[in-house]
Amino acid sequence: MMTKSLIPTLLLALAAGIATHARAAGDEPTALSPQACQALHQELDAVAAHVREARASGAAHADAPDPYPALAQALEAHLDALKAGLPTPATPRAQAGELLSDMRDALVLVRGATHLEARLLAVQRLEDDRRLYNRLLETLGCSATRPTAL
């Protein structure tokens, strides 16, 4: 049985091993093109907008139709677009792939969970993964602040 103090040590060792392996393989993050950054940020912004809309719709009217199946359907296309635009360096690609996989798992709960609390937790997972995906893009040279069209 692992003690609580052993778990963080093991996680730190695993992270160090992954980072060492990535550096040894020459897999340092490389910048994405401005067009790729913009496309990925647009998809992530759309995910955030759909989540906000579903939360507002569910909170505003208790007798309103269930917004979660519509949310899941709306997010499918955005997750497909994010998958198509995965970064090419191996480590960031794997990290982005894991985040997308987690988002797709959350969609399963959003769509089919019988308890509202499970759906709310899944929506929170979507939001957290979206935030982490934005952080990943920052490591690849995509700025957090994007130019706006005038």
Side-chain angles (χ1 to χ4, degrees):
M1 184 166 162
M2 288 190 203
T3 64
K4 287 186 179 186
S5 64
L6 184 58
I7 293 173
T9 305
L10 290 174
L11 290 174
L12 184 60
L14 177 64
I18 291 171
T20 303
H21 177 69
R23 271 188 248 115
D27 187 25
E28 293 300 315
T30 58
L32 292 175
S33 72
Q35 296 83 5
C37 288
Q38 184 179 12
L40 291 170
H41 279 299
Q42 284 176 344
E43 295 301 331
L44 290 169
D45 290 345
V47 168
H50 285 297
V51 167
R52 274 193 309 273
E53 183 180 309
R55 282 183 170 165
S57 174
H61 307 288
D63 59 339
D66 188 2
Y68 298 108
L71 172 65
Q73 184 177 2
L75 292 182
E76 281 290 335
H78 298 296
L79 296 184
D80 289 342
L82 287 168
K83 183 177 180 185
L86 283 174
T88 53
T91 300
R93 183 177 184 86
Q95 292 167 337
E98 286 294 320
L99 290 171
L100 286 174
S101 177
D102 193 52
M103 290 171 121
R104 288 203 185 276
D105 288 347
L107 282 185
V108 170
L109 285 174
V110 167
R111 218 182 250 117
T114 56
H115 296 287
L116 178 61
E117 292 81 13
R119 288 182 175 190
L120 294 173
L121 181 61
V123 169
Q124 184 60 49
R125 276 180 52 196
L126 285 165
E127 182 59 27
D128 292 344
D129 289 338
R130 184 200 60 82
R131 233 181 273 120
L132 289 170
Y133 204 108
N134 272 323
R135 288 277 176 112
L136 175 63
L137 291 179
E138 288 175 23
T139 67
L140 295 172
C142 294
S143 70
T145 58
R146 296 170 295 283
T148 58
L150 295 176

